[in-house]
Amino acid sequence: MTLIHDPVQFKSMGGNYYEDNTFHFRYQLNRRGPFKYLFVPRGPNCERTDDFEKFLKYIDSNFRLSRILIELPTIYNQDSVSVIDKLLIKNNYKRIPYRIHDPETLILFSKIKDYSKKTAYSVRYAEKRCRADTLRNPRKEELHEAYELYKKSSARINFKPKPFEAFEEISRNSILTRVYDKESSNLIAFILSYIREYDTENMFKNVKIDNCQAERPSEINFSKKVSKVAQTLFSGTDIQGRKKKAGYLARDNMIKYSFDELGVDLIDYRGGSRESNYKYTDFKIQFADIYYPLPGAYTKLKIL
């Protein structure tokens, strides 16, 4: 059983990185006078409980006089969440609200049969003006096309894009959904999704789940054991894509391919919280079943 795994922790994502034989993690480190501020986003990646303990010992040994913040990623096995929480508390970490990432994510368990009127209209509107496809493990030239759009989309929102190497590493086990303008044949929207096997037994053990689409709760089997997961990791669109609602068609195409062709058990949209009030939550919620809580953020002040 993999204890923690998140693609954000891949070295290709850039930034500070440490790798041991049993764990690896990316981190941000800032200094203010004699003190250091260490942030570990969505990590570390490790297979077993003792690997996570080694990670905590490494942090203690190498980051003295430090304020440490660890924000855990989505973990689909609640038994793993319980183990990790106990280890962190045992090592004098305090559980706190998420400071950087959303405290929840949005999840879809099956292909949507009937969208709301607004969503269905937007998908049909895009279908008339665009064409979409989805590729399994795209080639380098196909990734480059999406990456160019990703850079433009990132610049529009003043976001520093990840290196192209991140696209390449994710692409080894991924699907790339593309939407092209029928008039210009230009790429105007894309989604790059990461595909992985997870152990999701006891996914909802002692967890309060809220449906985000009131018309669909009867279709959700909360006792179902799921293993193959699609996570939407990178996406982008341009001005024409927004005008032609290409994002709606991209989501629709990605959902159909994931369930029909890959046989995934769930799609994780990686974020989207009722607490954040971001516009992307309003968009993602149209394609999701539930809000699923992330396991937690933890902090401590390490002096000696």
Side-chain angles (χ1 to χ4, degrees):
M1 178 183 74
T2 299
L3 192 68
I4 308 176
H5 179 88
D6 193 279
V8 163
Q9 287 298 320
F10 293 167
K11 185 178 181 179
S12 60
M13 292 288 181
N16 299 313
Y17 178 82
Y18 178 81
E19 183 173 5
D20 188 83
N21 291 330
T22 58
F23 67 87
H24 64 89
F25 68 100
R26 291 173 57 250
Y27 62 95
Q28 298 173 17
L29 185 64
N30 296 304
R31 296 176 182 270
R32 292 181 185 174
F35 282 93
K36 297 183 286 258
Y37 291 80
L38 174 70
F39 173 47
V40 181
R42 298 183 182 271
N45 280 1
C46 55
E47 294 289 327
R48 300 179 301 274
T49 302
D50 57 345
D51 300 335
F52 188 73
E53 291 181 289
K54 290 177 183 177
F55 159 74
L56 293 177
K57 289 178 181 177
Y58 175 82
I59 294 294
D60 279 350
S61 299
N62 292 275
F63 296 97
R64 294 186 172 93
L65 288 177
S66 299
R67 170 66 69 182
I68 302 164
L69 173 62
I70 300 171
E71 291 197 346
L72 295 172
T74 307
I75 299 176
Y76 306 109
N77 187 313
Q78 289 301 313
D79 290 336
S80 296
V81 172
S82 178
V83 167
I84 294 166
D85 177 77
K86 289 176 182 177
L87 285 173
L88 285 161
I89 298 302
K90 179 182 176 182
N91 282 271
N92 300 315
Y93 283 85
K94 178 183 177 182
R95 197 174 194 276
I96 61 171
Y98 279 82
R99 293 180 179 174
I100 308 299
H101 297 108
D102 288 338
E104 300 173 301
T105 186
L106 285 161
I107 286 179
L108 177 68
F109 286 102
S110 61
K111 191 167 65 174
I112 300 174
K113 296 177 182 178
D114 298 301
Y115 290 118
S116 68
K117 289 183 179 180
K118 174 189 173 183
T119 307
Y121 168 79
S122 296
V123 172
R124 289 194 305 269
Y125 185 92
E127 284 177 329
K128 292 177 181 179
R129 295 159 177 80
C130 312
R131 61 178 177 85
D133 63 14
T134 295
L135 307 174
R136 183 74 168 106
N137 298 335
R139 300 189 302 269
K140 190 170 184 176
E141 58 269 26
E142 294 161 339
L143 283 175
H144 266 298
E145 183 183 36
Y147 187 72
E148 289 303 311
L149 179 56
Y150 166 69
K151 287 194 298 183
K152 293 176 183 177
S153 183
S154 298
R156 178 175 55 85
I157 59 174
N158 295 317
F159 176 79
K160 183 180 179 181
K162 298 296 183 184
F164 178 71
E165 288 74 21
F167 270 53
E168 287 188 295
E169 185 164 8
I170 294 300
S171 72
R172 294 168 194 158
N173 200 2
S174 72
I175 56 174
L176 174 63
T177 303
R178 308 177 298 179
V179 180
Y180 291 90
D181 187 340
K182 286 182 178 179
E183 290 182 352
S184 66
S185 296
N186 292 332
L187 180 70
I188 58 175
F190 81 93
I191 304 171
L192 182 61
S193 304
Y194 180 62
I195 310 299
R196 182 175 167 85
E197 303 284 339
Y198 288 86
D199 177 5
T200 55
E201 190 172 4
N202 295 326
M203 182 174 180
F204 300 105
K205 185 178 180 180
N206 301 321
V207 174
K208 183 180 182 297
I209 298 297
D210 292 324
N211 298 305
C212 59
Q213 290 201 38
E215 66 270 22
R216 299 195 67 211
S218 61
E219 299 178 26
I220 303 171
N221 181 4
F222 289 112
S223 63
K224 176 184 177 184
K225 181 177 178 178
V226 295
S227 57
K228 185 180 285 188
V229 176
Q231 299 179 347
T232 57
L233 200 59
F234 294 111
S235 62
T237 187
D238 62 9
I239 294 175
Q240 286 302 311
R242 294 195 298 277
K243 287 181 179 178
K244 299 188 177 184
K245 302 184 184 294
Y248 285 87
L249 184 57
R251 294 276 169 174
D252 180 69
N253 195 276
M254 179 265 181
I255 289 168
K256 290 174 179 175
Y257 187 94
S258 296
F259 288 112
D260 292 343
E261 303 297 327
L262 292 182
V264 304
D265 298 298
L266 67 84
I267 297 173
D268 182 349
Y269 294 122
R270 295 181 63 85
S273 171
R274 289 161 289 188
E275 297 180 19
S276 64
N277 236 356
Y278 293 134
K279 288 184 178 179
Y280 63 72
T281 300
D282 294 334
F283 175 70
K284 290 180 179 180
I285 202 174
Q286 300 173 71
F287 303 93
D289 287 322
I290 64 167
Y291 293 100
Y292 185 72
L294 270 64
Y298 295 81
T299 187
K300 81 171 181 179
L301 180 62
K302 176 64 177 174
I303 301 296
L304 299 177

